[in-house]
Amino acid sequence: MRSFRTSLSVAAVALAISLAGCSTAATSSTSTGTTSSTTTSTQQAVTAATIEEDTHYDSDDLTWDTADEVAISLADGGSKVTSSSSTGVAVDGNTVTISAAGTYRLSGSLADGQIVVAAGESDTVRIILDGVELGNSSGSPFVVKSADEAIVYLQDGSTNTLTDATTYADQGDDAPNAALYSMADLTIAGSGSLTVNGKSNDGIVSKDGLVMAAGKVTVDAVDDGIRGKDYTVLLDGAYQVTAGGDGVKADNDTDEGRGWLLVSGGSLTVNAGDDGVKAFNTLTVSGGTVTVAESEEGLEAQHIAITGGDVTVTSHDDGVNASGGSSTSADTGAAAGMGGPGGGGMGGGDTVGDYTVDVSGGTLTINSEGDGLDSNGNATISGGTVVVNGPTNDGNGALDVNGDLTVTGGTVAAAGSAGMAVTPGTSSTQSGVQLTFNSSVSAGTPVHIVDSSGTVVATFVTTKSIASLVYSSSAIADGATYTVYTGGSAEAKAGVTAGSIDGAEEQGTVTAGQYSQAQGPGRR
């Protein structure tokens, strides 16, 4: 355990990203202190190493000697410390207070009780939940008041539940407001399961750093589901979050370099009443699976980077939104007109701020009622696959970039309304086509782009009625003419796929690299 903490820098994230992708054998330590060989990926290993340098997390903290465990049996009116050594544990009615570093194994239940960690500022407190059910009628059932780091370890095969009160008796500024609440750095690990019911406000909160290393965690919260302050990291595990407010977030908006969020593995599913996954500073997905099934805005941060993994977003407003904080630039010169030649910006004097969306790998699929991929600054797509099923109203666009939209690689298929169609800018090195249809194309219809030799170079299947489609990939040759068809058949029911024009209807031709609001099939 280290005594220092630093924020995860952009360079550190870049290092983790650049070394990702190969499979190798790795050695991992189990909770009992033994060692086993497992197969993992270089991406996971390098990311974990980077995280250990730049956060409180240390994988060594997940290894301990079982002989040193202090066993605590929870029971209403009769909680007991059953180990021979009980130093650091005090039982007062249904409140169990842990005041020293060590490893504590909890089992049993408290219908109306509380676990309190009040250890020293340099103490690491490891709490193993081994079949625990905690409730509290006046506040939070699990509170970390002080420690250097608190580790909540979910015992393999165990089922654990935390449920707080619907109204807290203590409403002070520094009072707990979540079913699992920590004033110290918090790590959740282990292969067991944890259900958190935040009936008053939030589900899981760390007022410092939060690392979700493993576990099967289900959170149902009135307001935010999972909230870290300085950073929130998902390394592995399976997380199901239902939240009336934001789903998962990192919200430090005062300290430079803080308020960042990273998903590098595992699976996360979010149903949120507000934003799905949110960071004040930088939000990065480098691996794993992220599904925002319901949200107002799906992903939101000042800087959003998708370098790997599989991200699917459904939103009532913007799908991916680079915004927030304060703009550092009033430069409007990079805006290049609404869908005009060169495209890439909304023009009209929109401010280009210090906001970015950067997709360099993985898959990003957006289904939005507002803007699909939206940056109040610039956006870059250099790899991976981006599919946008954007808005049907002309007040929003599948792509909305105040500054430059630069496409240098990957595959982009952005479909939606035609009124605010934004296209790749002049800085793009990969060409593409813009299709604007004379009449709307119904949901479920294959759209085919066919080269001069009759080869189908791209097929896209709509999930909504669309009026326009911007498509870019390495298969599109700049300056070449392509014929557009609708109908026929496709191998998949949605998105970018392969297809056939047998039985399809010709719509017209387009020229790659010529972007114009009026340019499209039948509008030559």
Side-chain angles (χ1 to χ4, degrees):
M1 188 67 207
R2 293 169 305 283
S3 60
F4 65 90
R5 302 185 185 91
T6 60
S7 63
L8 181 65
S9 64
V10 174
V13 173
L15 174 63
I17 291 166
S18 66
L19 296 178
C22 300
S23 179
T24 185
T27 300
S28 63
S29 297
T30 68
S31 61
T32 57
T34 60
T35 301
S36 62
S37 179
T38 60
T39 298
T40 184
S41 67
T42 301
Q43 173 181 309
Q44 291 172 324
V46 172
T47 300
T50 304
I51 291 300
E52 291 196 21
E53 293 175 1
D54 294 287
T55 74
H56 71 272
Y57 177 74
D58 188 338
S59 58
D60 289 344
D61 289 338
L62 305 184
T63 304
W64 64 90
D65 189 341
T66 56
D68 296 332
E69 293 179 5
V70 177
I72 304 172
S73 177
L74 304 174
D76 292 322
S79 296
K80 297 180 180 179
V81 180
T82 58
S83 300
S84 57
S85 173
S86 60
T87 303
V89 182
V91 178
D92 182 7
N94 282 346
T95 299
V96 177
T97 301
I98 297 171
S99 58
T103 302
Y104 304 85
R105 182 178 293 271
L106 277 59
S107 61
S109 64
L110 293 172
D112 186 9
Q114 190 176 61
I115 304 299
V116 177
V117 176
E121 295 297 328
S122 61
D123 288 343
T124 297
V125 178
R126 185 183 301 105
I127 299 177
I128 305 165
L129 299 185
D130 190 2
V132 170
E133 185 168 358
L134 296 177
N136 193 292
S137 64
S138 61
S140 171
F142 197 117
V143 177
V144 179
K145 291 184 176 180
S146 60
D148 180 56
E149 177 189 1
I151 300 168
V152 175
Y153 191 91
L154 310 175
Q155 179 61 37
D156 183 23
S158 70
T159 299
N160 308 279
T161 304
L162 305 177
T163 304
D164 67 357
T166 55
T167 302
Y168 281 28
D170 187 350
Q171 298 287 334
D173 290 340
D174 294 327
N177 64 349
L180 173 50
Y181 183 88
S182 178
M183 291 294 294
D185 288 326
L186 177 64
T187 299
I188 296 178
S191 56
S193 68
L194 173 65
T195 298
V196 179
N197 300 305
K199 291 189 172 183
S200 174
N201 196 53
D202 298 342
I204 298 173
V205 168
S206 170
K207 300 295 286 184
D208 211 328
L210 174 61
V211 174
M212 315 284 285
K216 181 179 179 181
V217 180
T218 302
V219 177
D220 191 342
V222 171
D223 194 13
D224 299 335
I226 298 174
R227 178 161 62 93
K229 186 176 183 181
D230 290 348
Y231 47 81
T232 299
V233 177
L234 274 65
L235 294 178
D236 203 349
Y239 307 93
Q240 177 80 44
V241 179
T242 302
D246 299 328
V248 180
K249 68 193 297 185
D251 62 0
N252 189 332
D253 59 358
T254 57
D255 297 327
E256 185 177 359
R258 299 294 193 174
W260 56 267
L261 189 150
L262 169 67
V263 179
S264 70
S267 65
L268 169 65
T269 301
V270 174
N271 288 268
D274 200 350
D275 298 332
V277 183
K278 182 175 184 177
F280 176 79
N281 191 346
T282 300
L283 190 166
T284 303
V285 179
S286 63
T289 301
V290 176
T291 303
V292 179
E294 182 177 4
S295 65
E296 283 300 311
E297 296 196 334
L299 308 184
E300 184 175 74
Q302 292 184 46
H303 304 284
I304 299 172
I306 311 296
T307 68
D310 187 354
V311 181
T312 303
V313 171
T314 301
S315 65
H316 296 295
D317 197 354
D318 298 343
V320 171
N321 187 24
S323 66
S326 59
S327 173
T328 60
S329 172
D331 178 19
T332 61
M338 186 169 66
M346 288 310 301
D350 284 334
T351 298
V352 180
D354 182 20
Y355 310 106
T356 58
V357 175
D358 185 353
V359 181
S360 59
T363 62
L364 172 61
T365 304
I366 300 170
N367 186 340
S368 67
E369 294 180 21
D371 295 324
L373 190 153
D374 185 355
S375 174
N376 288 352
N378 298 314
T380 301
I381 300 171
S382 59
T385 299
V386 177
V387 173
V388 181
N389 299 291
T392 56
N393 69 83
D394 284 338
N396 293 288
L399 302 171
D400 182 6
V401 180
N402 285 12
D404 266 347
L405 170 59
T406 302
V407 179
T408 62
T411 299
V412 182
S417 59
M420 295 179 66
V422 171
T423 58
T426 55
S427 57
S428 298
T429 58
Q430 177 173 282
S431 194
V433 294
Q434 178 186 7
L435 322 178
T436 304
F437 300 95
N438 289 324
S439 59
S440 62
V441 178
S442 301
T445 302
V447 178
H448 309 279
I449 301 171
V450 181
D451 67 14
S452 58
S453 68
T455 301
V456 178
V457 297
T459 296
F460 176 78
V461 182
T462 67
T463 61
K464 300 177 180 177
S465 175
I466 67 170
S468 71
L469 171 66
V470 173
Y471 181 87
S472 176
S473 80
S474 60
I476 301 296
D478 192 47
T481 299
Y482 294 88
T483 305
V484 179
Y485 294 81
T486 58
S489 61
E491 292 183 2
K493 294 182 178 180
V496 177
T497 183
S500 169
I501 59 173
D502 290 345
E505 180 180 355
E506 182 178 336
Q507 298 296 324
T509 61
V510 291
T511 301
Q514 293 186 4
Y515 301 118
S516 171
Q517 183 68 13
Q519 178 69 35
R523 297 189 179 182
R524 302 185 301 279

